[in-house]
């Protein structure tokens, strides 16, 4: 798959096929891609917890759903929250998280210092690699509302932080580009507030 096509079409896939397993080989492939992500000073603080056990996935889902209930109320109270379609998709994820073939939790051995910049590039690599294999993913942090419970369930040491939860499976939805603002609306040139130029018309174009 072309790199830029993968970037354009790696959207949140919250509806995953519970009846189509994900192979160990594919999980290893996307983890190996994740390991190629940059980290400050090549410190490589990211640790990965792959959860396949059904009982553990159910336990995570129950914790996650409580966290989502709190997040959803905050979104509903906000005038700029997600669209009803996105909320519905997130509702489905919360109710069916345990049915995802694989849950991958990105953790960090950070000595108490958050190194987000070393974690999320690795997560993005993992998601792009999954897209290349036809696997759907979404990055969620809802579990952090009750992180200590998740850590207790999975035996994660107190000094290890969790940064993201990524369900992995074959998507039930269709690939496509998520709506994004154009570059000119979110980019400045040289100084804050100075407009970034729109692209010049192609030579010979109308």
């Amino acid at each position: 798959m072309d790199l830029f096509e993968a970037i354009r079409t790696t959207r949140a896939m919250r509806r995953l096929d519970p009846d189509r397993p994900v192979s160990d080989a594919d999980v290893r492939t996307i983890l190996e891609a994740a390991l190629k992500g940059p980290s400050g000073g090549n410190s490589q603080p990211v640790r990965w917890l792959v959860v396949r056990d059904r009982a553990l996935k159910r336990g995570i889902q129950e914790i996650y759903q409580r966290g989502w209930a709190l997040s959803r109320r905050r979104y509903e109270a906000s005038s700029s929250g997600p669209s009803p379609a996105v909320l519905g998709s997130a509702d489905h994820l919360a109710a069916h998280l345990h049915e995802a073939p694989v849950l991958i939790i990105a953790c960090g051995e950070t000595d108490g210092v958050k190194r987000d910049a070393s974690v999320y590039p690795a997560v993005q690599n993992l998601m792009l690699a999954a897209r290349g294999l036809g696997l759907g993913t979404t990055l969620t942090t809802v579990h952090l509302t009750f992180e200590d419970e998740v850590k207790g369930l999975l035996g994660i040491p107190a000094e290890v932080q969790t940064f993201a939860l990524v369900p992995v499976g074959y998507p039930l939805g269709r690939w496509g580009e998520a709506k994004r603002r154009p570059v000119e609306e979110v980019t400045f040139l040289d100084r804050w507030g100075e407009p970034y130029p729109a692209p010049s018309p192609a030579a010979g174009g109308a």
Side-chain angles (χ1 to χ4, degrees):
M1 172 177 289
D2 174 74
L3 172 62
F4 288 96
E5 180 185 356
I7 290 172
R8 288 193 300 268
T9 61
T10 300
R11 63 187 304 171
M13 290 293 191
R14 301 183 183 92
R15 301 176 188 272
L16 303 175
D17 190 341
D19 300 319
R20 191 175 177 187
V22 174
S23 72
D24 290 334
D26 282 351
V27 171
R28 178 172 289 274
T29 294
I30 66 176
L31 288 171
E32 288 175 343
L35 296 181
K36 303 302 182 183
S39 65
N42 199 29
S43 58
Q44 303 179 61
V46 190
R47 300 293 181 268
W48 305 94
L49 181 54
V50 178
V51 183
R52 286 188 178 274
D53 182 86
R54 291 184 179 182
L56 290 176
K57 288 193 295 181
R58 169 62 84 173
I60 295 170
Q61 183 270 332
E62 291 172 353
I63 297 168
Y64 185 97
Q65 190 153 38
R66 286 192 279 118
W68 171 241
L70 295 176
S71 296
R72 199 186 206 288
R73 284 198 287 271
R74 288 194 293 269
Y75 285 134
E76 289 173 338
S78 171
S79 60
S80 59
S83 69
V86 171
L87 285 176
S89 177
D91 287 340
H92 179 90
L93 177 65
H96 298 274
L97 183 68
H98 59 292
E99 296 176 0
V102 181
L103 301 178
I104 298 180
I105 301 175
C107 305
E109 292 188 348
T110 59
D111 299 324
V113 179
K114 277 191 174 290
R115 292 194 183 101
D116 295 24
S118 294
V119 175
Y120 292 112
V123 174
Q124 182 70 2
N125 269 17
L126 183 141
M127 295 173 69
L128 288 171
R131 173 67 183 97
L133 295 174
L135 295 167
T137 58
T138 188
L139 188 163
T140 179
T141 59
V142 169
H143 75 285
L144 293 177
T145 303
F146 299 108
E147 182 184 21
D148 287 344
E149 291 186 40
V150 174
K151 289 170 65 173
L153 176 68
L154 301 175
I156 299 173
E159 66 272 15
V160 174
Q161 299 173 6
T162 69
F163 289 86
L165 171 62
V166 183
V168 182
Y170 288 93
L172 295 173
R174 293 180 296 176
W175 301 109
E177 295 190 38
K179 292 182 179 179
R180 294 291 186 265
R181 295 178 178 177
V183 169
E184 292 76 25
E185 284 190 15
V186 296
T187 310
F188 305 122
L189 180 63
D190 292 330
R191 292 182 180 276
W192 190 267
E194 293 296 320
Y196 192 80
S200 300

